[in-house]
Amino acid sequence: RLEQSWASIEVYSNRSFANPATVSAVAAAKAEFFGSFSTLRDSVYKANAENLPYPVSGNEWMTAATRAIDSLLTLSDVIGKATSSYAAQVEASGFNSFVASTTVLAIAILLGAFAFWIVVTRVTRPIHALTDVMSRLSGGDLELAVPSIERRDEVGQMARAVEIFREAGLSNRRLEAE
């Protein structure tokens, strides 16, 4: 498992985006664990296999093994710190994206509400008022004022057309009265 993990670590450390502290710790672990200690370990195993005296004492072996393991633990600590730092950057970036998206959404909602208000006040209400006037005109009430005549849009055109009908109705009444 150590060698499989080491292969992954070496691939990462050779990437251009690799964390510099991690690259340095990888180099130290490679020199200590896979370099010095590996050579010593191989010589100890060879001496054991050939029934030769060990090339180091027990204390020397423990010191070398401790240094080698410490280099791996240091590497693990550096990788943990680099991962934590990267996670914090991703979190900050995610939060910034969330704030930006929320802001855009709020602006879109406000623009939508403003557009709705414009449609209601500038189109729907005047059309309802004209509809009410046309209903009253059809019932014979010709003395009312037609709203929105002064407007320069389609609603104003409709209001002027209704005013023509109202005036025609008033004119018809005068003619009938005469």
Side-chain angles (χ1 to χ4, degrees):
R1 279 194 254 170
L2 177 64
E3 289 172 358
Q4 287 176 331
S5 297
W6 184 253
S8 297
I9 290 170
E10 280 192 310
V11 167
Y12 168 77
S13 69
N14 291 326
R15 302 285 171 111
S16 62
F17 57 82
N19 180 291
T22 301
V23 172
S24 176
V26 167
K30 185 175 185 177
E32 185 61 44
F33 189 88
F34 293 100
S36 303
F37 181 70
S38 182
T39 303
L40 178 62
R41 184 184 60 202
D42 290 345
S43 68
V44 168
Y45 289 167
K46 182 178 179 184
N48 183 52
E50 295 175 0
N51 283 331
L52 298 174
Y54 291 121
V56 292
S57 69
N59 284 340
E60 292 171 324
W61 172 259
M62 289 302 294
T63 300
T66 300
R67 269 195 327 265
I69 291 170
D70 283 348
S71 73
L72 293 178
L73 292 174
T74 299
L75 174 60
S76 175
D77 185 48
V78 168
I79 288 173
K81 287 177 182 174
T83 302
S84 176
S85 173
Y86 180 69
Q89 289 172 355
V90 168
E91 178 185 15
S93 174
F95 180 75
N96 291 342
S97 294
F98 171 74
V99 168
S101 296
T102 303
T103 302
V104 168
L105 177 63
I107 289 169
I109 288 171
L110 288 174
L111 287 174
F114 182 66
F116 179 76
W117 178 78
I118 287 174
V119 167
V120 167
T121 59
R122 299 282 300 154
V123 177
T124 306
R125 284 184 186 161
I127 288 176
H128 282 293
L130 281 175
T131 303
D132 183 50
V133 166
M134 287 188 283
S135 294
R136 290 174 60 192
L137 282 175
S138 68
D141 184 4
L142 301 175
E143 301 304 321
L144 53 91
V146 178
S148 303
I149 290 176
E150 71 286 347
R151 290 180 58 152
R152 301 281 180 235
D153 59 4
E154 290 81 4
V155 174
Q157 289 174 337
M158 289 171 38
R160 286 186 289 280
V162 171
E163 177 65 18
I164 290 170
F165 284 117
R166 186 184 78 80
E167 288 175 1
L170 286 171
S171 181
N172 285 342
R173 267 196 192 161
R174 272 192 311 270
L175 287 174
E176 286 176 6
E178 288 176 6

